[in-house]
Amino acid sequence: MCGIVAITSSNRRGDLGILLTEALKKLEYRGYDSVGIAVVDQGNLYVAKNVGTVESVAKSENFASLSGCVGIGHTRWATHGAPSKKNSHPHTDCAKKIAVVHNGIIENYSELKNFLLSRGHVFISDTDTEVVPHLIEEFKRAGLDTYSAFRKAVSMLRGTFAIVAIDIDGGRKLLFTRKVSPLVVGIGSDFVLVSSDIVSILPYTDRVVVLNDDEVGYAEPGRVFIETVGGRSVDVASRVMKVDYGVEDFDKGPYEHYMIKEIREQPYTLNQTLSGLISSRDEVEKSLKLLESADSIYIVGAGSSYYASLLGSLYFRYLGFRAQALVSSEATPYLRGVRPGDVVVVVSQSGETIDTLLAMRESAKRGARVVAIVNNPLSTIARESDAYVYMKSGPEICVAATKTFTSQVLVLSYLGLAMTRDSHRIEASLRALRRLPEITASMISSTENAARKVAKKISTEHSVYYLGRAFGYPISAEAALKMKEVAYVHAEAYPAGESKHGPIALVASGFPVVFTIVGELDELIEGNIEEMKARGAYVITYAPSDRITSTVERNSDLVIPLPQVLLEVSLVTYVIPHQLLAYYTSIERGYNPDRPRNLAKTVTVF
Ligand code: GLU
């Protein structure tokens, strides 16, 4: 899940280290185990790397002192080898002439390593990546030029990877290849950038080429060469796209953390998503046509995107459509039942989540049509889908999803609603959805104090249950996921009625149980609240005002009123008070909610 950035420039840049640092800051969401850069300057290779954040490593390793025409940078999410200085990228060959950054996994690295060891190469790290510079070196020793050696090395790799290499003997060339892990080339007047994500390219140029799987090539100022691994050359000019969306603001602004900024942005982002749905009629219509013609609908996602999928699938069924949600990494066996005529909706914030991408490819192989819901229209998932809906939530920097989750739910609700073709219903719901900005804003302000208060209680606990019925269950599941991700409190979501088939055994005096009442299909929840209270649970109930009955009042230690809104609005917004609760619990416990340990935002490894 690492982030890669590379630049080649026609002029020697005194600020090359600074430029790479700035670009890496935009990729830090992809991993933050360690950071490193390598530059070639006046015939020498310089590598600087260490464990830490981009800011701290750039300072301690003095990135700013590095100049040159060509350089690569990397921010790591370790898969092979612990997060440590020696395992940080870039990795080099024995002669320290070649430097390589890599995102993904090289599956056959031990085999290649044994071959290279037998040829006398000396390895420093425990990573799979290090085989790459040594392979290039090996083939150069055999007489190949830099690019041919790189190409030959790439042909020997199995797995998923995006790789960029530089070589003292390679002039200003950035050598690159991609298989599954994303890589984008940005073309400027006198420079070329290569990166895992367009966000680090957009500040410098809007002309990009998105690499396809199994393509390999090189870039130098004024020239980008791409061919397939099979040797077919690519007409690069025809692949250049002009990106017509601007660089969004990556600044935290007045906020202490991105998480709270992104939670508070939701009145705006939901409005953006809804306006996009209404104005991009053609694209949305294309998705709708596919969905309407579907025999069965599968909705596939990972992490928060899975809970959005679950909520969406329940809403589709509520409206009378056949839909089933699947966890991306577990989808394959279920997808065996997919037939031509079915539609698979894939939900992915980044559009690069590998498990989702593979589920999507498996579905396409079985003849299904694919509709994607993404926040990046240039992503692999968007490009490989039959139709996609762009959420327009803007960049989400905090690793834990907040605003993209609510946008995903909004897109799914909108699609479900539109599929009914019931103009009366659509009209009424749209009227309510148009009020999302004000409803969301007032929900944030009216539940924030309660979030701070409940956070104090939960921050001292080891465990918390989140219970809901019907729509309340996926909302609870997303709420529990947030709590685990940013506050490291064990949080388990359960369908409220099911909780007495096991989980209730753990409930003793003071055990926190958070109920979410949505107000549709969950009439029986009052009994579940009563059951928990009878076991001494500390009950916190989130409920719309019309559902705060005397039973709810009597059995809850704390009741947090939610606005009484139409179902379609509650599906999108009722998670927001839980996002606030997770945020304040994380703060209460002294953590940085933006950077949960062991997690990375875009999961590009299996
Ligand atoms: N496998 C490489 C490493 O562990 C890259 C990891 C990744 O892209 O997540 O360093």
Side-chain angles (χ1 to χ4, degrees):
M1 306 183 227
C2 311
I4 291 176
V5 67
I7 180 163
T8 174
S9 155
S10 49
N11 308 314
R12 179 173 182 266
R13 298 192 63 131
D15 64 348
L16 189 60
I18 297 174
L19 215 136
L20 289 167
T21 308
E22 287 314 306
L24 283 173
K25 281 187 186 157
K26 298 199 166 54
L27 297 176
E28 211 167 12
Y29 73 89
R30 301 179 67 88
Y32 33 82
D33 285 335
S34 61
V35 183
I37 65 173
V39 303
V40 173
D41 192 22
Q42 295 166 338
N44 295 308
L45 179 74
Y46 299 93
V47 180
K49 58 185 187 177
N50 216 332
V51 177
T53 61
V54 174
E55 198 158 320
S56 66
V57 177
K59 205 159 159 208
S60 68
E61 306 302 316
N62 203 3
F63 285 5
S65 66
L66 295 178
S67 317
C69 292
V70 56
I72 54 179
H74 187 267
T75 170
R76 179 171 187 239
W77 190 87
T79 65
H80 291 59
S84 62
K85 182 165 179 164
K86 71 168 184 180
N87 289 334
S88 309
H89 299 218
H91 293 286
T92 53
D93 61 328
C94 299
K96 306 269 176 290
K97 287 177 128 192
I98 300 160
V100 169
V101 285
H102 160 223
N103 165 213
I105 290 174
I106 296 163
E107 282 163 14
N108 58 336
Y109 83 100
S110 357
E111 202 178 291
L112 295 170
K113 192 165 175 175
N114 287 338
F115 159 71
L116 289 160
L117 287 169
S118 74
R119 304 281 304 159
H121 290 262
V122 178
F123 281 76
I124 292 167
S125 79
D126 311 313
T127 64
D128 49 344
T129 308
E130 201 184 347
V131 296
V132 182
H134 290 286
L135 274 178
I136 302 172
E137 179 176 49
E138 177 67 19
F139 299 133
K140 275 180 68 192
R141 278 186 197 160
L144 295 183
D145 62 47
T146 297
Y147 177 63
S148 310
F150 177 73
R151 217 184 165 298
K152 181 150 186 197
V154 168
S155 72
M156 299 183 74
L157 306 178
R158 280 205 318 269
T160 57
F161 42 80
I163 295 172
V164 182
I166 51 174
D167 178 11
I168 287 180
D169 303 328
R172 290 180 185 173
K173 280 194 180 69
L174 292 176
L175 311 149
F176 54 75
T177 189
R178 178 236 164 135
K179 188 186 185 100
V180 183
S181 307
L183 211 55
V184 186
V185 179
I187 303 171
S189 49
D190 57 355
F191 64 89
V192 181
L193 283 159
V194 178
S195 177
S196 306
D197 190 333
I198 195 163
V199 294
S200 55
I201 290 180
L202 276 180
Y204 309 100
T205 177
D206 57 1
R207 293 176 65 228
V208 302
V209 176
V210 181
L211 283 187
N212 290 334
D213 275 357
D214 294 313
E215 287 183 340
V216 54
Y218 60 84
E220 48 196 355
R223 174 165 163 80
V224 176
F225 172 77
I226 304 175
E227 61 182 327
T228 63
V229 172
R232 198 165 31 81
S233 78
V234 168
D235 175 13
V236 177
S238 69
R239 289 264 296 275
V240 178
M241 292 188 283
K242 200 162 154 30
V243 180
D244 62 359
Y245 53 91
V247 197
E248 261 115 343
D249 186 14
F250 283 84
D251 220 37
K252 274 208 293 275
Y255 299 102
E256 208 184 328
H257 298 102
Y258 281 107
M259 185 173 182
I260 191 69
K261 171 179 184 258
E262 288 158 6
I263 292 173
R264 287 184 181 283
E265 259 170 19
Q266 289 174 108
Y268 169 74
T269 55
L270 288 171
N271 194 38
Q272 287 291 102
T273 306
L274 186 65
S275 315
L277 286 164
I278 294 167
S279 61
S280 332
R281 211 175 277 273
D282 292 350
E283 280 150 49
V284 176
E285 237 353 270
K286 199 167 157 199
S287 301
L288 273 174
K289 287 234 157 62
L290 287 174
L291 285 166
E292 280 169 338
S293 65
D295 295 332
S296 279
I297 298 169
Y298 295 84
I299 312 182
V300 184
S304 292
S305 302
Y306 169 66
Y307 294 126
S309 305
L310 196 59
L311 201 49
S313 71
L314 190 58
Y315 181 62
F316 278 27
R317 295 188 85 95
Y318 173 82
L319 297 172
F321 304 111
R322 286 165 60 187
Q324 187 188 345
L326 299 175
V327 172
S328 308
S329 58
E330 286 291 316
T332 312
Y334 295 95
L335 291 173
R336 290 173 70 87
V338 167
R339 315 229 178 292
D342 292 343
V343 170
V344 177
V345 180
V346 290
V347 186
S348 167
Q349 182 276 132
S350 64
E352 303 292 349
T353 309
I354 192 157
D355 291 322
T356 310
L357 178 61
L358 295 184
M360 162 176 180
R361 288 182 177 164
E362 176 68 24
S363 313
K365 218 165 69 201
R366 291 182 179 276
R369 308 299 296 277
V370 176
V371 172
I373 299 176
V374 290
N375 200 26
N376 176 359
L378 290 182
S379 60
T380 312
I381 287 180
R383 290 184 304 123
E384 289 190 17
S385 63
D386 294 295
Y388 71 84
V389 179
Y390 172 28
M391 290 163 16
K392 298 196 168 160
S393 317
E396 188 174 63
I397 312 291
C398 176
V399 168
T402 51
K403 61 177 182 170
T404 55
F405 175 84
T406 50
S407 287
Q408 287 169 343
V409 176
L410 176 57
V411 172
L412 284 163
S413 308
Y414 183 91
L415 292 175
L417 193 61
M419 269 159 66
T420 63
R421 301 281 173 187
D422 172 345
S423 53
H424 187 68
R425 176 177 202 138
I426 296 173
E427 192 61 24
S429 300
L430 273 183
R431 248 199 321 274
L433 288 170
R434 283 204 178 90
R435 289 186 51 232
L436 271 171
E438 59 177 280
I439 295 169
T440 308
S442 87
M443 171 144 7
I444 293 171
S445 58
S446 68
T447 60
E448 195 153 13
N449 274 341
R452 287 197 181 93
K453 188 169 162 194
V454 179
K456 282 209 165 38
K457 157 86 182 149
I458 294 186
S459 63
T460 60
E461 302 286 341
H462 295 295
S463 228
V464 53
Y465 283 156
Y466 281 84
L467 304 182
R469 291 182 86 104
F471 297 111
Y473 168 64
I475 293 173
S476 298
E478 172 60 10
L481 181 65
K482 285 305 94 135
M483 185 59 84
K484 283 183 279 211
E485 283 179 311
V486 303
Y488 314 148
V489 174
H490 174 251
E492 188 172 353
Y494 234 77
E498 183 71 4
S499 62
K500 53 185 175 294
H501 298 273
I504 201 166
L506 270 69
V507 175
S509 175
F511 188 105
V513 181
V514 180
F515 282 93
T516 303
I517 303 182
V518 173
E520 189 72 37
L521 304 180
D522 56 5
E523 299 75 19
L524 298 176
I525 201 163
E526 292 191 15
N528 306 128
I529 297 177
E530 210 149 5
E531 287 152 16
M532 285 295 162
K533 191 67 216 163
R535 268 89 194 161
Y538 182 88
V539 175
I540 303 146
T541 305
Y542 289 82
S545 28
D546 62 328
R547 290 294 302 275
I548 305 175
T549 60
S550 55
T551 315
V552 169
E553 295 257 28
R554 194 176 59 250
N555 292 302
S556 305
D557 295 272
L558 206 64
V559 178
I560 296 135
L562 300 175
Q564 204 181 315
V565 286
L566 215 66
L567 175 66
E568 287 73 12
V569 175
S570 54
L571 296 186
V572 175
T573 57
Y574 276 17
V575 74
I576 295 172
H578 297 301
Q579 298 172 342
L580 287 167
L581 175 57
Y583 173 75
Y584 285 112
T585 311
S586 170
I587 301 300
E588 196 64 40
R589 286 165 66 89
Y591 300 124
N592 175 358
D594 288 343
R595 299 236 177 113
R597 63 186 175 216
N598 305 334
L599 299 178
K601 191 152 186 74
T602 308
V603 184
T604 56
V605 292
F606 306 108

